[in-house]
Amino acid sequence: MTGGTPKPLVDVDMDRVVQTTTFRVFRYNGTGDPPTYKDYEVPTKRGMTVLDGLLWIKENLDGSLSYRASCRMGVCGSCAMMINGKPRLACQTQILDLQTSVVVVEPLKNYPVVKDLVPALDQLFEKHEAVKPYVMRPGEEDELENPSGEFEQSPEELDEFIQFTYCIKCGICLAACPTVASDPLFLGPQALAQAYRYVADTRDTAYAERCDLVDTAHGVWRCHYAGACTEACPKGVDPAFAIQLLKKKVFQHRVLGKKRKVARVAPKPTGVSRRPNVPEPPARTVKSD
Amino acid sequence: MKESRFWFLFLIAGLVLFLLLGYHIVFIHLLGNYEANISFQSVASRSVSPAYAVFYLLFLVFALYHGFYGLRTILLEIEALARHHRTVTAILVVLGVGLFVYGTWALFAAMKIGAVG
Ligand code: FES
């Protein structure tokens, strides 16, 4: 580590400030006291995001402000919050794009609040986990543990679900969903879109099991296609579309008894050998029991 | 029964209602003389017809199912009731069956009155 003053996280060059923005921030101390709103004046330059504004407040005005953030580039999904009434990623929302001098920042709706802008995301992860979001091949666990080859999947089969793999688990879709707002047991757009992602994946053979998981009183049929999740999703995942496709798959399976194609392990190529300059794969780092 | 089957029946019930209501609107309201179609004589003559009895019975069954499934959906989305979906479903089934019995009784009563009238 080199000495001297650490570089600030947000360096606001006062010559380039184009407006002073009032950040009206939801403050809650996590002890049950009623929440309040506190105003902070933030010098704003072009390109500055709401997350930059919060970082600037924390560094310069109020170190007690709590929020989540990590990557600052719309990848980790940590910085989801309500910004002027809409659920968004703070790191992808430029202050000047909001075209207002007052930015109201609140924690995501439909989640309990831990402190200030930090929501408790337990329901997001519990619902996600409930749909078993991983490739399952009942009866072929050994093949998954010690693969003998690749599963054959065509580009067209991949296209059926690739869009839904872009979910970053930010939780914005649950904050936008009107059904989640009133029915706490509804699986919600994130989990249902991920259920579709695996139901449509030909490498997965637990089609029936996953259909059962979502074919419940609080499952896929409770989506009324408000489309708010798709409107809010910062990654263009389109969970509302995934849910309609999932309804179709469950219907085909449950009511029409339709089977889905299953990817097989591609046979090893014969009569070929590894090129001399291509190294062998490294040894496994994860030991199976 | 799995939710998908309830939901599928709900769609089927909606479709059947559309056809039955369509028939009712065309033949009672749009064709012929509306005043005459709803006169006591006309209603009494329809109520003794076995074809109309089947029509009303189907209408009763599908309207009750469609309506009560919709009501269940609304109730299950109320936070306080969401965790009690079996109880909510059981109460609605009892209510639905009760209304079906009452409707069927009314239908047979109307047949009797029609036969006398
Ligand atoms: S900080 Fe990672 S998505 Fe915003």
Side-chain angles (χ1 to χ4, degrees), chain B residues 1-44:
Chain B
M1 192 154 82
K2 281 283 170 194
E3 194 67 23
S4 48
R5 298 201 175 117
F6 285 132
W7 184 81
F8 181 52
L9 270 176
F10 171 70
L11 291 195
I12 297 285
L15 190 67
V16 173
L17 282 181
F18 178 76
L19 295 175
L20 294 179
L21 269 174
Y23 177 86
H24 171 85
I25 286 171
V26 169
F27 287 95
I28 305 292
H29 295 263
L30 301 180
L31 294 181
N33 182 342
Y34 175 65
E35 293 298 324
N37 284 345
I38 59 163
S39 68
F40 179 80
Q41 288 311 322
S42 175
V43 174

Side-chain angles (χ1 to χ4, degrees), chain A residues 51 68-80 88-92 168 170 234-235:
Chain A
L51 179 59
R68 278 199 199 100
S70 181
C71 69
R72 299 170 75 180
M73 53 196 278
V75 170
C76 71
S78 309
C79 66
R88 308 175 200 244
L89 292 180
C91 71
Q92 286 207 310
I168 56 171
C170 60
K235 305 306 282 184

